[in-house]
Amino acid sequence: MKSVFLWRLIAATVGMALLLGSLTGIALRAIDDADRFEQMANASFEARAELTIIDNASREIEAWLRVHIRGAMIARENMAAASSRLTSALTNMERLAAGNGEQQQRVSQLRPLIQSYLEQAAAIIALPSDPTVLPERSAMVAEALVTRDKALEIVRLLNAMEQQQVEQQDERASGSFWLTRLTLIVGTLLAIGALICAVVLIRNAFEERLGTVRRLADQTRLLRTTIDTMAQGIAVFDTDNRLTLWNEHFLELMALDAREVAVGDTFHTLVHRTVGRGRMTTARADTIVARAASKLRERQAWTDEIPLEDGRTIETRRVPLPDGSWVATYLDITERKQLDRVKNEFVSTVSHELRTPLTSIRGSLGLVVGGMLEGIPQRVVPLLEIAYANCERLVRLINDILDIEKIESGRLTLDLKPQAVGPLIAQAISANDGYFRQFGVQCDFSDGAPQSVARVDSDRFMQVMNNLLSNAAKFSPSGSRIEVSLERRGHKLRISVKDKGPGIPEAFRSKIFGRFAQADPSDTRRKGGSGLGLSITKAIVDNMNGDITFVSQTGEGTTFHVDFPEWVEPEHVPAPLPVVDGLPKLLVIEDEPDTARVIAMLLEQGGFACDIAYDAEMARDRLRTRKYAGVTLDLGLPDENGVQFLRELRADPHTQDLPAIVVSGKANESRRLVNGGVVGVLDWIDKPIDRDRLLRAARIAASKAEGRLPHLLHVEGDDETRRAIAALFAGHVVPVPATTVAAARRLMADNDFDLVLLNLHMEHAETLLPDIRPETPLILSSSAEADDAVASRVGAALIRARTTNDAVLSAIRHILDRSPQPETPRDDSTPTPETHNAA
C-alpha cells in the first residue's frame, strides 16, 4: 500500500513538473521571439533612416549644384557637408544590409552610382564662374542628375524592401503572439487539471493509507487480544535478543512482575531474573541462555523442557524468524507429564501383570503343542497351534510396550561390550529361519568385514536384527530372497537388510520410525505387528551410538542400513593429536547432561573442542580411542567414585600425565578429604562454575599437552638480577624481561603470561599491580614484607624471606604446577623464598 501511494505521488509530481516546464519553455520562446522582432524592427527603422539621409543628401547636392550654376559660391561648402552625410549614410547602409543578400546586392549597386554622382558634382563645382562655361556646366549637371536618379531609384527599391520586410515581421509577430497566448491558456488549463488530479490522487492515497492503518490497528488489537487469551506464554525477541512483545501468561509462567518487564529487556536478563524468583537454578539458567545462543547461530527451531524448582515443568519452543528475530512459546506441561507418568506406570504395571499369566499360558500351550499329552483329537491340534501362535504374538506385543516405556522413562539399560558383528548377524538369521519358511523367503548373508568388532549390547543387537529381518520377511513376496550384508565404511560398520517388497510409500517415509506407525493398517494387520518395532529399533541403535537409515523405491523394495562405530583395540589405534581444527580438545566427564553441555559450551567459547562422557565407563572408552589435552571431572559419577577414577588414571601409563580439572559441587570439601592423595589436578572448581577459572585451568592443561614452557614476565631494572634469574629458570620457564613498569604494561597488553615476577623496589612498581590479570600468578620480589594493601593483591605467593636458589626454583615449580589455585587466606607465619638473596 505504501508503494502504491508513493508511485501515485511521484506520477503527480512528474506530471506537474512536465506541464510547468512546458509552459515555461513556451513563455521563454515568446520572449525570445519578441526580442528578435524588436531587433529586426529597430534595424529596419535604422536602414530606412539611412536611406532617407541618402535621398535627402542627394537632392541637397542637386540644389547646391543648381545654386552654383547661378554663381553662388557658398554652395561649395554646403555641398561638401551633404556629400559627407551621403557617404556616411551609404557606409551605414552597407553595414545594415550585410545580413540580407538581396539588400546587400542593391547597396553594392548603389555605391558606384553615389560615387559617380559625387565625382560629377565635384567636377561641376570645380569649373570657374565664367559665363562662357555655363552651357557646359548645365550639360554636366543634367548628366549628374541622371546618375543621381539612378541611385535614388535603388534607394526607393531598398525602401520598398524594408517596408515589405517590416510588414512581414509584424505579421509573423502577431501570429506568434496569438499562438503563444493560446498555448499558454491551454497549458494553464492543463496545469490546473493536472493539479486537481494530483490533489485527488494524493487525497485518495491518504484515505487508502489511513484505511490501511486503521485495519492494521484493528488487526494489531485482535492479535494482541488473541495473544493475551492464549493458554501459552508468548515472548518475541528481536535480532539483538531483546524483548519486543509478550503476554500475561509468559509473565505468570516465568514468575515475572509486569512492572519490571519492559521492551528492550534482554533474554539473558529475563532468564536470570527467574532465578531470584525460585523458578530455577543459576546453572540451569546458564544452560538455557547458552543453548539459545548456539541454536540461534544455527538458525534452528528447538524445544526444551524446563523443570522448575517448585516441581512444575515448562515446555518452551523457540522459532527463529527470517528477519533474525525469534518467537518463544511457554506451556505448563506439569499435568501432562503427570498423566504421562501415570499412563506409563499403568502400562508398565498392566504389562508386567499380564506377563505372569501369559507365561503360564504359553508354557502350557507349548507343552500341549509339543506332544506332551497323548490322545488329543486331531481336529483340536490346529486350534491349539493358533492359540500358541497368538500367545507368542501377545508376548511380543507386551515386550514391545515395556521397551517403549523403558525408552521414554530413560530406564533402557545396555551392556555395551566389544562384540564380533558377523557372528551376531549369522545368529540372528539362523534364529529367524522358521520365520523365513513361514513366509516362503530365503536369506543370504554377505560378510564384507570379517572379524570386525563393534561395542554393542548383544541382546539388544539381536532385537534390532530380529525386527529388521522379520519386517523384510513379512513384506517380501513368497519365493524372493532377503539380502543381508556387512561392510566397512571408514571407521564405521554398515549392516544392510534389503527386501524385495512393495517399498515404503512416499507419504509415510517421514513417519516410519514413529510409534504405532503403519503405512497400511489393514495390510499390517494381515502381516502382523504392532507398529512399534522400528521405533524401538531406532531407539536401541541410537543408544548404542549408531545410526539407522533406509532407502526405498516403490515396487522394488526397501533397504535398511544400520551403522555402528568400529571398535579397535587401543594398542592398534593411532592416537590422534589432541586438537580438532586447530583447537585443543578436552574430555568433559559429567553425568548431568545440562551441566555437561554448559561446561562444553563455556570451553568452546574459550577456544577449545570438547567431547562428553556421562560415566566412567564411557570416559575410559573415549580415553582408549582418543587423545585429549585434559579432562574435567565430576567426582559424583553414577558408576564409580570420581577420586578412585582419578587414581586409576594416574596408575595407567597412557594417562598418568593427563591434566585433570575437578568440577564438582563439593570440590573443596573433596580436596580436603583427599589431602593431596591424587596428583595432577590443576584445579578444584566448585559449582556454580567460575568461567574464568575454568578457562584458566584449561589453558594450562593445553599448554602442558603441547609441551610448551610457561612464559615468565620478569619486571626487574637490575641487569645482573635479570641474568641470574634467566640462568636459574633455564629449561623450566621462558623469561621475558621488562626493565621498566611502562615496558611491562606494553608486554602485558600484547601477550598472556603464565607468571609475573615483580621487583617491588622498582619505581612505580605498585602501580603495575592493577594491570596484572587476576588469574595470572604473581610473585613479588622484596627484601622486606609488603604492606597489607600490596600483599592482598598477590594471587599465588609472596617471596619475602632469604633462601637458596633451589628453594626459589621449587617455589616457582610449585606455583606453576598448582596454578590456578583457589584463593586462600595468607599465612604470614609461613616464610617464602626471596629472589634477591637467591640471585
Side-chain angles (χ1 to χ4, degrees):
M1 193 59 62
K2 180 179 180 180
S3 177
V4 173
F5 168 75
L6 183 61
W7 280 112
R8 288 180 178 177
L9 183 60
I10 291 174
T13 304
V14 171
M16 288 294 298
L18 291 175
L19 281 172
L20 290 176
S22 301
L23 294 175
T24 302
I26 293 171
L28 291 176
R29 189 179 67 181
I31 293 172
D32 290 341
D33 289 344
D35 288 342
R36 187 170 65 255
F37 294 152
E38 183 179 2
Q39 291 173 2
M40 293 176 64
N42 291 336
S44 179
F45 176 80
E46 186 178 353
R48 293 171 69 181
E50 297 297 337
L51 290 172
T52 301
I53 292 173
I54 292 174
D55 185 89
N56 293 336
S58 297
R59 293 184 187 280
E60 185 179 351
I61 291 173
E62 176 190 0
W64 291 116
L65 285 176
R66 292 186 185 279
V67 171
H68 187 267
I69 290 175
R70 292 193 295 271
M73 299 304 295
I74 193 171
R76 291 185 178 182
E77 295 178 1
N78 292 330
M79 194 172 70
S83 297
S84 178
R85 291 197 303 275
L86 181 60
T87 302
S88 176
L90 181 61
T91 301
N92 290 335
M93 192 60 200
E94 286 177 338
R95 174 177 58 78
L96 293 171
N100 190 317
E102 187 176 0
Q103 285 187 357
Q104 190 174 5
Q105 182 181 3
R106 295 293 182 183
V107 172
S108 65
Q109 295 172 355
L110 180 63
R111 173 167 285 283
L113 292 174
I114 295 297
Q115 189 68 32
S116 176
Y117 178 55
L118 292 177
E119 289 175 354
Q120 289 173 343
I124 293 171
I125 295 298
L127 291 176
S129 301
D130 190 349
T132 61
V133 295
L134 185 60
E136 182 181 359
R137 183 178 296 167
S138 297
M140 292 178 65
V141 168
E143 185 178 355
L145 292 177
V146 171
T147 303
R148 191 278 316 272
D149 290 340
K150 292 180 180 179
L152 291 179
E153 181 64 27
I154 294 175
V155 169
R156 284 193 294 275
L157 289 174
L158 288 173
N159 261 318
M161 291 173 64
E162 286 295 335
Q163 180 64 32
Q164 184 181 5
Q165 185 174 354
V166 168
E167 291 175 354
Q168 291 175 350
Q169 292 295 335
D170 184 63
E171 183 178 354
R172 284 198 296 271
S174 178
S176 176
F177 169 75
W178 284 105
L179 179 62
T180 301
R181 185 167 65 175
L182 180 62
T183 304
L184 287 174
I185 292 172
V186 173
T188 303
L189 292 176
L190 290 176
I192 293 173
L195 179 61
I196 294 173
C197 291
V199 171
V200 171
L201 285 174
I202 294 173
R203 177 178 174 275
N204 291 341
F206 270 114
E207 288 182 352
E208 190 174 350
R209 184 173 179 81
L210 183 59
T212 302
V213 171
R214 288 176 181 151
R215 287 193 296 273
L216 287 176
D218 293 340
Q219 292 176 0
T220 301
R221 284 193 294 272
L222 178 60
L223 178 62
R224 179 76 257 181
T225 303
T226 303
I227 290 176
D228 286 337
T229 56
M230 290 180 65
Q232 292 180 319
I234 301 286
V236 182
F237 296 86
D238 62 14
T239 54
D240 296 324
N241 297 331
R242 295 185 177 276
L243 187 65
T244 60
L245 178 67
W246 66 94
N247 66 359
E248 293 297 328
H249 288 292
F250 166 71
L251 302 177
E252 178 185 348
L253 291 173
M254 302 308 292
L256 296 172
D257 190 337
R259 292 170 297 181
E260 61 184 9
V261 176
V263 173
D265 287 348
T266 64
F267 178 68
H268 178 279
T269 300
L270 293 171
V271 172
H272 280 79
R273 196 172 289 167
T274 63
V275 175
R277 305 294 190 275
R279 278 293 196 266
M280 65 181 71
T281 62
T282 302
R284 182 164 295 279
D286 290 336
T287 300
I288 292 172
V289 173
R291 180 171 168 80
S294 173
K295 291 294 184 181
L296 288 172
R297 282 195 300 269
E298 300 170 3
R299 306 297 301 155
Q300 292 182 359
W302 75 102
T303 301
D304 275 339
E305 289 186 4
I306 306 174
L308 302 181
E309 293 297 298
D310 59 4
R312 292 191 298 160
T313 302
I314 303 297
E315 181 183 75
T316 175
R317 177 167 177 77
R318 301 178 180 91
V319 181
L321 300 178
D323 64 351
S325 60
W326 53 284
V327 179
T329 61
Y330 298 81
L331 181 64
D332 188 341
I333 60 171
T334 305
E335 185 176 350
R336 189 178 78 190
K337 297 287 286 185
Q338 291 173 347
L339 290 175
D340 286 343
R341 188 160 47 250
V342 171
K343 179 202 70 176
N344 291 336
E345 291 174 357
F346 173 77
V347 170
S348 178
T349 301
V350 171
S351 299
H352 280 92
E353 291 298 325
L354 286 175
R355 292 183 72 176
T356 301
L358 276 176
T359 301
S360 300
I361 295 171
R362 185 177 62 170
S364 302
L365 288 173
L367 292 175
V368 174
V369 173
M372 181 177 179
L373 298 180
E374 298 179 358
I376 298 177
Q378 286 301 315
R379 67 171 182 268
V380 178
V381 172
L383 299 177
L384 292 174
E385 290 177 348
I386 292 173
Y388 181 74
N390 281 277
C391 186
E392 289 285 345
R393 181 179 174 187
L394 189 55
V395 169
R396 287 195 299 271
L397 175 59
I398 291 174
N399 287 336
D400 286 347
I401 292 174
L402 288 174
D403 284 340
I404 286 290
E405 190 271 331
K406 289 178 182 178
I407 292 168
E408 288 186 342
S409 62
R411 295 188 295 106
L412 180 67
T413 57
L414 298 173
D415 183 16
L416 299 179
K417 294 179 182 178
Q419 305 276 353
V421 179
L424 285 178
I425 297 174
Q427 181 182 349
I429 293 174
S430 177
N432 284 274
D433 185 62
Y435 212 69
F436 298 147
R437 289 198 303 271
Q438 177 185 346
F439 288 95
V441 298
Q442 295 183 350
C443 184
D444 298 329
F445 174 42
S446 172
D447 189 354
Q451 300 181 350
S452 57
V453 177
R455 193 164 176 265
V456 297
D457 182 314
S458 58
D459 292 336
R460 294 296 181 178
F461 182 90
M462 293 295 291
Q463 186 177 354
V464 169
M465 292 303 303
N466 288 339
N467 282 332
L468 295 178
L469 292 172
S470 64
N471 279 345
K474 283 189 294 184
F475 292 99
S476 292
S478 179
S480 63
R481 306 186 77 87
I482 298 171
E483 298 176 10
V484 180
S485 63
L486 172 64
E487 59 181 334
R488 181 177 287 106
R489 292 198 166 202
H491 299 294
K492 291 191 174 184
L493 300 174
R494 167 162 287 191
I495 305 161
S496 301
V497 179
K498 182 178 181 181
D499 64 45
K500 297 294 191 298
I504 301 171
E506 183 73 31
F508 182 68
R509 292 177 186 178
S510 61
K511 310 172 186 176
I512 191 69
F513 293 114
R515 289 184 296 168
F516 302 104
Q518 297 176 351
D520 181 353
S522 61
D523 182 63
T524 304
R525 285 174 181 165
R526 289 196 303 270
K527 301 291 186 180
S530 62
L532 295 174
L534 286 178
S535 177
I536 295 171
T537 297
K538 177 170 175 53
I540 294 173
V541 171
D542 289 344
N543 278 274
M544 291 194 295
N545 300 315
D547 295 300
I548 181 169
T549 56
F550 69 92
V551 177
S552 183
Q553 292 184 349
T554 304
E556 296 185 14
T558 302
T559 303
F560 279 89
H561 300 296
V562 179
D563 298 317
F564 288 112
E566 184 174 11
W567 189 85
V568 183
E569 290 289 340
E571 56 269 23
H572 300 305
V573 178
L577 292 175
V579 295
V580 176
D581 296 332
L583 302 178
K585 192 169 187 179
L586 302 176
L587 176 62
V588 177
I589 308 173
E590 169 65 54
D591 65 317
E592 212 285 319
D594 287 340
T595 304
R597 284 197 296 269
V598 169
I599 296 174
M601 289 176 183
L602 291 175
L603 291 171
E604 288 167 357
Q605 290 174 357
F608 296 89
C610 294
D611 281 344
I612 296 176
Y614 296 105
D615 54 40
E617 185 60 30
M618 187 179 293
R620 290 190 187 93
D621 184 55
R622 294 273 195 271
L623 292 169
R624 277 195 298 266
T625 57
R626 305 172 191 177
K627 188 175 181 182
Y628 295 92
V631 299
T632 71
L633 174 65
D634 181 11
L635 298 179
L637 298 178
D639 56 346
E640 186 172 342
N641 180 274
V643 174
Q644 181 59 38
F645 180 76
L646 268 175
R647 291 195 175 102
E648 181 183 325
L649 291 181
R650 295 297 168 250
D652 187 339
H654 297 291
T655 58
Q656 63 183 2
D657 296 323
L658 181 68
I661 306 165
V662 173
V663 180
S664 176
K666 299 180 179 179
N668 287 327
E669 179 181 344
S670 300
R671 181 181 186 181
R672 287 192 297 270
L673 292 175
V674 172
N675 195 24
V678 179
V679 296
V681 178
L682 293 178
D683 200 2
W684 302 71
I685 301 176
D686 263 318
K687 297 177 182 177
I689 302 166
D690 183 338
R691 174 183 179 276
D692 293 337
R693 189 168 167 185
L694 174 66
L695 293 178
R696 189 165 68 237
R699 292 189 185 104
I700 293 175
S703 66
K704 288 180 178 293
E706 295 170 359
R708 169 184 172 274
L709 290 176
H711 282 55
L712 167 71
L713 176 62
H714 187 196
V715 189
E716 173 62 64
D718 182 67
D719 292 339
E720 292 184 3
T721 302
R722 288 199 309 274
R723 287 195 293 270
I725 291 296
L728 178 64
F729 292 160
H732 300 282
V733 297
V734 177
V736 179
T739 58
T740 65
V741 170
R745 282 197 178 92
R746 288 194 297 271
L747 288 169
M748 288 191 299
D750 298 330
N751 303 275
D752 290 329
F753 291 98
D754 303 291
L755 185 66
V756 175
L757 176 58
L758 172 63
N759 180 5
L760 272 181
H761 293 295
M762 291 182 62
E763 186 178 5
H764 307 305
E766 293 184 8
T767 64
L768 186 64
L769 293 177
D771 297 327
I772 300 174
R773 298 177 179 176
E775 63 268 20
T776 304
L778 172 64
I779 301 175
L780 298 181
S781 170
S782 175
S783 59
E785 287 196 33
D787 57 34
D788 290 340
V790 174
S792 64
R793 180 63 184 84
V794 178
L798 177 64
I799 299 180
R800 57 180 175 81
R802 289 174 288 275
T803 187
T804 63
N805 288 349
D806 290 339
V808 174
L809 185 56
S810 176
I812 297 298
R813 285 177 175 171
H814 172 77
I815 293 169
L816 292 175
D817 288 341
R818 300 299 297 272
S819 293
Q821 309 179 55
E823 295 184 3
T824 55
R826 267 177 74 245
D827 184 2
D828 291 338
S829 64
T830 305
T832 52
E834 194 276 335
T835 58
H836 286 308
N837 256 352

